[in-house]
Amino acid sequence: MIISHTHKFIFVKSEKTGGTSVEAALSNICHGRDIVTPLGDYPFNRDEDGEWVHKSLNPDGFKQHDDAITIKSQLPADVWDSYYKFSITRNPWDKVVSDFFWQYRQHDFDQPIRRFYHFIGYPYDELKPIRKMFKNFVKGGQWKTNDRFYIINDELCVDYIIRYEHLTEGLREVCKRVGLPELRLPHLKSGMRKRGHHYSVYYDEETRAIVSERHQHDIRLFGYIFETA
């Protein structure tokens, strides 16, 4: 999360949307009284070359994923009202899969044993145990929407939303609107979804509907739909 008094913008950092990469890029143009919340020094918070590219400043009690209401309540009204505010959204079905793999990032996903009938033409489903775990994850409600970062009273409370699917272009647009030079976007927290399958392969009709119901704001405001590979 960033509150830049120097450049008069507020970045409300949502979850599983590439926010750490955006925050790292923006942190390096911050200074003075600007607020940039710190990151833990983990390998996934470093860039492709293993370099530390994030600069924290004056956290002042703010946290990485403070929601919009929390940030607003801790700022003078004129700062919240006049600063350029932005956050990031993501296709909700894709985001929930990302949530799942993040929560189970230490888990060694077992594959089904290949039986003799798989070698004579019977379909082999390597994702069967993962789909079962994913279904329990979705039905168990162990995940949240990102509404709290950019929705207050059912309405958008920021000036601009970057789409995760177009992260580089979105950051470029923010820089243009705030009056910053174009910034390099590092790739942090990548590689968590090791199998590389399209998000749709993890869903059935029930889990697809559960995610749809909970993410009505993302679907209404940004037109997200369930895609297939």
Side-chain angles (χ1 to χ4, degrees), residues 11-124:
F11 171 47
V12 188
K13 184 181 176 184
S14 53
E15 296 181 336
K16 299 293 161 287
T17 56
T20 297
S21 296
V22 171
E23 181 184 50
L26 290 166
S27 72
N28 289 285
I29 55 86
C30 292
H31 54 86
R33 297 187 303 112
D34 294 350
I35 295 169
V36 184
T37 51
L39 298 176
D41 189 3
Y42 303 108
F44 49 72
N45 283 336
R46 292 177 175 268
D47 71 5
E48 307 93 323
D49 301 317
E51 297 297 323
W52 187 251
V53 292
H54 179 277
K55 181 179 74 175
S56 61
L57 286 170
N58 314 312
D60 290 344
F62 287 99
K63 299 181 180 65
Q64 276 283 304
H65 293 293
D66 278 341
D67 57 39
I69 289 178
T70 299
I71 297 170
K72 182 179 180 180
S73 70
Q74 296 187 54
L75 292 174
D78 63 318
V79 171
W80 176 264
D81 292 339
S82 64
Y83 282 23
Y84 188 74
K85 299 176 290 293
F86 60 97
S87 189
I88 312 174
T89 190
R90 182 176 186 172
N91 181 297
W93 295 277
D94 189 27
K95 177 194 169 294
V96 174
V97 172
S98 182
D99 275 334
F100 169 76
F101 278 98
W102 175 256
Q103 293 294 328
Y104 289 93
R105 62 189 180 279
Q106 305 297 336
H107 187 86
D108 184 18
F109 292 103
D110 296 325
Q111 291 182 316
I113 297 173
R114 288 184 183 269
R115 307 293 184 180
F116 74 91
Y117 43 76
H118 292 128
F119 295 95
I120 59 173
Y122 191 85
Y124 172 73

Side-chain angles (χ1 to χ4, degrees), residues 1 10 13 27-28 32-33 52 55 67 76 84 94 141 146-147 158 165 179 181 183 189 191 206 212 214 226-227:
M1 192 276 294
I10 299 171
K13 184 181 176 184
S27 72
N28 289 285
R33 297 187 303 112
W52 187 251
K55 181 179 74 175
D67 57 39
Y84 188 74
D94 189 27
N146 275 330
D147 289 359
V158 296
E165 298 80 14
L183 300 172
K189 289 188 177 176
E206 183 180 15
S212 176
R214 196 181 292 187
F226 185 85
E227 305 158 319

Side-chain angles (χ1 to χ4, degrees), residues 96-210:
V96 174
V97 172
S98 182
D99 275 334
F100 169 76
F101 278 98
W102 175 256
Q103 293 294 328
Y104 289 93
R105 62 189 180 279
Q106 305 297 336
H107 187 86
D108 184 18
F109 292 103
D110 296 325
Q111 291 182 316
I113 297 173
R114 288 184 183 269
R115 307 293 184 180
F116 74 91
Y117 43 76
H118 292 128
F119 295 95
I120 59 173
Y122 191 85
Y124 172 73
D125 184 1
E126 66 168 350
L127 296 179
K128 184 175 180 180
I130 302 179
R131 286 198 189 96
K132 182 178 180 180
M133 288 181 65
F134 179 70
K135 184 163 188 169
N136 290 335
F137 174 79
V138 173
K139 294 179 68 175
Q142 304 168 53
W143 47 279
K144 298 179 180 179
T145 74
N146 275 330
D147 289 359
R148 64 196 185 280
F149 300 110
Y150 44 77
I151 300 288
I152 296 178
N153 297 328
D154 293 334
E155 297 296 334
L156 201 62
C157 65
V158 296
D159 302 298
Y160 182 67
I161 287 286
I162 298 173
R163 290 177 181 257
Y164 170 84
E165 298 80 14
H166 305 288
L167 208 59
T168 299
E169 296 87 342
L171 178 60
R172 185 180 300 126
E173 181 64 22
V174 166
C175 290
K176 185 193 308 181
R177 296 190 185 195
V178 177
L180 298 173
E182 189 169 322
L183 300 172
R184 173 184 172 273
L185 186 69
H187 297 287
L188 309 181
K189 289 188 177 176
S190 61
M192 296 297 174
R193 194 185 305 180
K194 296 178 181 178
R195 294 171 184 264
H197 295 289
H198 190 267
Y199 69 80
S200 60
V201 304
Y202 299 101
Y203 284 91
D204 58 20
E205 288 299 319
E206 183 180 15
T207 52
R208 175 178 168 178
I210 291 170

